[in-house]
Amino acid sequence: MISFLEFEKPVAALEARIAELRATAADGDIDIAAEIERLEKKSAALLASTYAALTPWQKTQVARHPSRPHFADFVAHAFSDFMPLGGDRRFGDDRAIIGGFARLGKRRVMLIGHEKGHDTHSRIRHNFGMGKPEGYRKAIRLMELAGRFGLPVVTLVDTSGAFPGVEAEERGQAEAIARSTEACLSLEVPMVAAIVGEGGSGGAVALASAERVLMLEHAVYSVISPEGASSILWRTADRAPDAAEAMKVTAQDLLRLKVIDRIVSEPVGGAHRDPLGTARALGQAIGEELDGLSRRKPADLLKLREERFLAIGD
């Protein structure tokens, strides 16, 4: 069952009415198929018009939807032969950042990404997708391994930010994030990053400093959450919608500002309504980007990364 967001209440009301009519039709002899069909068309049209005019704050809510596909879903539907590799060889294994060998079609890749989890138990186990230093150091290890084997790197970014706890700071969170960003920029193999949900702060940049950055249509990417920015600027989180508007967090704004390179369309109503279709569309887009990058020499890849980041905001 779909969990409706606040701005989807008119659609939810229509869907509830359709469900009631279907139950009535199943229990009686009344033929109301025509009315059900009419309401279904009306609901589909309303959903399409609603999602065609989402505000930045509404897109933030969609990016955080509890049923939105996460790393595990993309692995299941877009990749194959995934072999997870754990540990940073210094402290331990971070379940918020997962990585390993995988196949995208016939191509072998190193796949790394954030995993938020789907229910209370898995979200706690994955720390809500907030990586710790050992997670970013694991990512560095896997990127270096990919470089040695000549494998392209694919990252799936979905985090509200790196874990801000005391223990993370004690283990060198800032240094780990900086080193992970450096590892991305110095790779001599192709790298494609995709923002699939939330792309929050340095915790996202540490896995998204690639020569090609893709973004799902209703994902968001920003230096701080709208609530955090609102609290700093206006001393209240109530103006998060204003902050989201000002920060240009949407894929459409970021494409115009050259922060990202390509938007991958989502099904009408968001990725959570069709995780399988979303995963396949993203996998196809990543494959197309890797096809273009595979002919580049290592020096060209490094130059391409440098040029794309220097061009941001031009």
Side-chain angles (χ1 to χ4, degrees):
M1 181 174 292
I2 294 174
S3 176
F4 289 94
L5 299 168
E6 183 69 22
F7 64 84
E8 295 178 311
K9 280 186 175 181
V11 178
L14 277 174
E15 291 295 327
R17 179 58 179 159
I18 292 169
E20 290 175 2
L21 289 176
R22 283 176 177 161
T24 301
D27 295 336
D29 298 326
I30 303 174
D31 185 6
I32 53 176
E35 177 64 10
I36 292 175
E37 184 179 358
R38 185 186 70 82
L39 289 178
E40 286 177 337
K41 290 181 179 178
K42 184 177 180 180
S43 176
L46 181 58
L47 184 67
S49 62
T50 298
Y51 270 77
L54 293 180
T55 67
W57 177 240
Q58 289 169 337
K59 282 183 177 284
T60 302
Q61 293 174 286
V62 176
R64 296 171 176 173
H65 195 285
S67 299
R68 191 171 179 85
H70 296 154
F71 183 85
D73 300 297
F74 291 109
V75 169
H77 300 313
F79 297 86
S80 62
D81 297 335
F82 180 61
M83 181 184 294
L85 301 174
D88 67 342
R89 301 297 188 265
R90 295 186 186 183
F91 180 82
D93 189 35
D94 180 14
R95 294 175 181 264
I97 297 177
I98 301 175
F101 297 113
R103 286 187 181 274
L104 179 60
K106 296 182 179 180
R107 179 185 286 106
R108 292 191 305 153
V109 301
M110 180 65 76
L111 180 63
I112 307 169
H114 299 95
E115 174 58 62
K116 286 185 172 180
H118 281 291
D119 52 29
T120 301
H121 179 72
S122 62
R123 284 170 187 151
I124 293 173
R125 185 172 73 251
H126 294 290
N127 201 34
F128 299 87
M130 295 186 292
K132 297 178 180 178
E134 50 272 22
Y136 291 103
R137 290 180 178 127
K138 173 169 64 176
I140 295 169
R141 184 172 72 85
L142 298 186
M143 283 187 269
E144 291 175 347
L145 185 63
R148 288 200 296 273
F149 283 101
L151 299 177
V153 174
V154 175
T155 60
L156 305 180
V157 177
D158 187 12
T159 181
S160 58
F163 184 61
V166 173
E167 64 269 32
E169 298 298 335
E170 289 175 342
R171 295 198 294 271
Q173 182 72 291
E175 185 267 351
I177 289 172
R179 293 292 185 186
S180 184
T181 305
E182 179 186 38
C184 292
L185 295 174
S186 60
L187 272 174
E188 295 188 349
V189 294
M191 180 177 182
V192 175
I195 315 298
V196 297
E198 286 185 278
S201 193
V205 174
L207 294 186
S209 297
E211 62 267 28
R212 296 293 290 176
V213 180
L214 282 56
M215 195 166 171
L216 287 183
E217 182 181 2
H218 302 308
V220 293
Y221 191 21
S222 61
V223 70
I224 190 173
S225 69
E227 296 94 331
S230 177
S231 297
I232 292 171
L233 295 174
W234 295 292
R235 305 297 180 185
T236 175
D238 295 340
R239 296 189 64 178
D242 296 326
E245 180 73 38
M247 290 194 299
K248 309 299 182 187
V249 301
T250 70
Q252 294 73 25
D253 284 328
L254 295 171
L255 181 63
R256 178 174 54 82
L257 294 170
K258 300 181 182 178
V259 175
I260 65 169
D261 304 291
R262 177 174 176 177
I263 297 174
V264 180
S265 297
E266 297 184 25
V268 175
H272 57 280
R273 283 184 165 82
D274 186 6
L276 175 59
T278 302
R280 288 178 174 172
L282 181 65
Q284 181 178 346
I286 293 173
E288 291 170 357
E289 297 296 341
L290 288 176
D291 285 341
L293 294 171
S294 63
R295 296 183 289 272
R296 299 267 190 167
K297 296 179 180 179
D300 293 337
L301 294 173
L302 295 173
K303 185 65 176 177
L304 187 61
R305 255 173 241 143
E306 178 184 356
E307 289 175 347
R308 81 166 302 281
F309 281 97
L310 289 176
I312 288 177
D314 284 354

